[in-house]
Amino acid sequence: MIDFRYLAQRYSTPLYVYDLDHMTKQYEALKEAFKARKSLLAYAIKANSNLSVVRHFARLGSGADCVSIGEVKRALLAGIPKYKILFSGVGKKDEEIREAIELDILYINVESEAELGRVEAIAKELGKEARISIRVNPNVDPKTHPYISTGLHENKFGVDMESAKRMYITAKNSDNLDPVGIHFHIGSQLTELEPIREAAEIVADMVRSLNAIDIELKFFDVGGGLGIRYDDEETIAPYDYAQAILGVLKGLDMTIVCEPGRFLSANGGYFVTKVLYEKINGEKRFVVVDGAMNDLIRPSLYNAYHKVEVVGEKEGEKTPADIVGPVCESGDFLAKNYPLPPLEHGDLLVLHSAGAYGFGMGSNYNTRGRSAEVVIENGKDRLVRKRETFEDLIALEKEFLED
Ligand code: LLP
């Protein structure tokens, strides 16, 4: 049991709290599921990029999936070795590609023919051979929220199979490109296994057809996307997930790379916020809290559900209320029509499953400093990011103020 009242007193609110022991359990369950093969779990840094969280995964042996050179540097700083770091993303800048090649990371996930051309040209300038993997788009509907669905041709990610084949041939014939892997990622918060199996099968067939023309790949990168329970959804067990992938890889001697983000960090995270006021507009009940969409945007952006826990015993009947923050937007809410007991100034609410895509998607909108972040490990709490102050928020502007 986490003592949220104590944490709120010690660190103030709004506050992110991460239970590292839960994250360890998730990591180990997934690693164990793949034990029949060589595998690399490359934690998707974007889910929760706090350095201490990333260091925790580094110590467990995790690699990192990064989508900017900033994330690559974060992963290195946190202690993830370069040979376990991947660089994905649909729009890498020349400087990012250059740095990734110089840093000698495991491979770059290439997402278009044009990008392959840039990687080759930059590697040539550097007199190096860049290890690459190609992100293919298997055109499979992952059946998740449209904003986090990526595996259909209508999405911007990856390349179709025909183009991918051409790209592998180009890479094989180039002195500056070394094709080492194949990558797909069909979406996030996946709760159905069949689309994953289908995509993996399409990609495994592609590997076989490449083998037939003497292109041998070492890494079979299945992306991330494993869903978690926010409410009462049915989720995919790590064992079944791994079995589906292992099943399609028969006869292929490849290392499985997996890029889980949410699965590792979401349910170890909590967002703690304090009640400021209760108010009723006509029939509608609002609970106004000190946390807002700039801290946790998932409800506003995806209509996402986060379970809400009221800290301590409260008397009285539960009635539906919208939990809203101080930001000047009608879209600023953390929950809609959530059954809550009568609340008062100073009561604490805890939003669950906030360890992935919570803090990292935050902003300073309305000149609000971002929350502090705290971790709990072996029952002990420690600060891992200070609350942002007003001075922090204006630091990059102040010098330009004219008299
Ligand atoms: N690999 C690639 C190439 C990705 O694009 C992503 C996530 C992952 C791995 C990790 O996916 P995960 O295992 O966490 O599902 N902000 C959204 C989620 C966006 C996911 C973007 N890509 C949300 O809050 O639901």
Side-chain angles (χ1 to χ4, degrees):
M1 275 291 281
I2 299 175
D3 188 346
F4 290 112
R5 201 186 303 275
Y6 152 79
L7 293 172
Q9 258 159 19
R10 175 156 190 202
Y11 301 104
S12 188
T13 57
L15 180 71
Y16 273 98
V17 178
Y18 308 129
D19 174 356
L20 295 184
D21 300 322
H22 181 273
M23 297 187 189
T24 305
K25 276 196 216 134
Q26 294 296 97
Y27 179 87
E28 284 175 351
L30 195 53
K31 187 71 190 165
E32 170 74 14
F34 280 113
K35 72 168 183 238
R37 285 258 184 171
K38 262 198 251 164
S39 68
L40 171 66
L41 297 190
Y43 170 56
I45 301 276
K46 66 166 90 69
N48 183 329
S49 53
N50 182 285
L51 281 173
S52 299
V53 171
V54 181
R55 168 147 306 175
H56 182 69
F57 286 117
R59 286 185 176 145
L60 295 173
S62 181
D65 172 52
C66 304
V67 289
S68 69
I69 204 70
E71 285 192 353
V72 171
K73 290 190 209 163
R74 226 173 230 281
L76 287 167
L77 186 62
I80 296 192
K82 62 181 186 180
Y83 57 85
K84 290 186 184 174
I85 295 179
L86 332 173
F87 185 14
S88 313
V90 76
K92 304 179 195 76
K93 300 202 312 187
D94 281 4
E95 305 86 87
E96 293 185 295
I97 295 171
R98 183 168 298 114
E99 245 185 295
I101 297 173
E102 282 173 340
L103 288 168
D104 197 28
I105 60 169
L106 183 60
Y107 56 77
I108 297 175
N109 272 322
V110 174
E111 298 225 12
S112 63
E113 293 199 74
E115 185 190 344
L116 190 70
R118 291 311 306 154
V119 175
E120 183 180 26
I122 295 165
K124 193 168 182 184
E125 269 166 40
L126 295 171
K128 297 211 168 172
E129 200 180 30
R131 280 184 298 278
I132 58 122
S133 161
I134 294 172
R135 176 166 179 178
V136 296
N137 185 326
N139 201 24
V140 170
D141 184 352
K143 305 203 170 65
T144 184
H145 191 290
Y147 282 17
I148 51 178
S149 163
T150 49
L152 283 169
H153 285 165
E154 66 195 60
N155 304 122
K156 69 179 176 181
F157 298 97
V159 294
D160 62 71
M161 294 299 179
E162 275 311 300
S163 317
K165 201 161 188 178
R166 271 200 309 277
M167 288 163 69
Y168 276 113
I169 294 169
T170 307
K172 183 172 159 72
N173 293 331
S174 163
D175 289 339
N176 300 100
L177 296 171
D178 181 12
V180 295
I182 191 159
H183 175 229
F184 67 97
H185 169 84
I186 58 172
S188 195
Q189 183 55 12
L190 306 178
T191 52
E192 289 189 31
L193 193 52
E194 193 42 36
I196 302 175
R197 207 198 52 74
E198 193 185 331
E201 187 149 47
I202 293 170
V203 178
D205 284 346
M206 170 84 174
V207 171
R208 290 190 183 91
S209 74
L210 291 171
N211 286 350
I213 52 169
D214 259 357
I215 298 175
E216 303 280 341
L217 302 175
K218 192 163 178 341
F219 300 103
F220 191 81
D221 183 342
V222 301
L226 198 52
I228 57 125
R229 188 167 284 168
Y230 283 94
D231 188 8
D232 54 5
E233 26 318 51
E234 283 290 318
T235 54
I236 304 167
Y239 177 82
D240 297 336
Y241 176 64
Q243 285 305 311
I245 291 159
L246 294 169
V248 304
L249 279 183
K250 290 218 170 72
L252 294 174
D253 180 22
M254 297 176 84
T255 298
I256 295 170
V257 178
C258 180
E259 306 166 351
R262 189 186 324 257
F263 178 81
L264 297 184
S265 65
N267 275 335
Y270 303 86
F271 179 62
V272 186
T273 182
K274 197 175 275 174
V275 173
L276 298 175
Y277 317 105
E278 279 253 18
K279 71 185 264 185
I280 310 265
N281 281 351
E283 295 287 284
K284 183 87 195 164
R285 177 182 172 208
F286 293 97
V287 174
V288 185
V289 296
D290 63 359
M293 66 187 291
N294 76 296
D295 302 297
L296 179 63
I297 202 176
R298 301 193 72 257
S300 307
L301 193 57
Y302 314 115
N303 227 347
Y305 171 89
H306 287 262
K307 192 168 125 194
V308 180
E309 173 188 338
V310 180
V311 177
E313 295 287 309
K314 296 300 291 180
E315 302 274 301
E317 195 196 334
K318 288 185 180 173
T319 61
D322 285 6
I323 303 174
V324 299
V327 164
C328 295
E329 299 272 348
S330 295
D332 177 29
F333 60 88
L334 297 175
K336 289 254 180 191
N337 292 316
Y338 206 98
L340 292 169
L343 295 165
E344 321 166 282
H345 186 84
D347 281 338
L348 290 176
L349 301 180
V350 179
L351 280 91
H352 286 224
S353 314
Y357 308 110
F359 183 92
M361 292 180 80
S363 75
N364 294 122
Y365 189 38
N366 281 201
T367 305
R368 287 171 53 88
R370 278 175 295 180
S371 312
E373 297 180 287
V374 166
V375 297
I376 301 186
E377 193 172 17
N378 298 323
K380 288 212 180 68
D381 53 281
R382 64 174 203 273
L383 187 67
V384 291
R385 192 180 205 269
K386 289 186 214 165
R387 183 174 301 285
E388 285 176 353
T389 63
F390 175 68
E391 285 303 319
D392 295 328
L393 298 189
I394 58 165
L396 302 178
E397 301 163 40
K398 216 164 89 180
E399 66 188 282
F400 304 109
L401 257 189
E402 289 173 354
D403 287 336

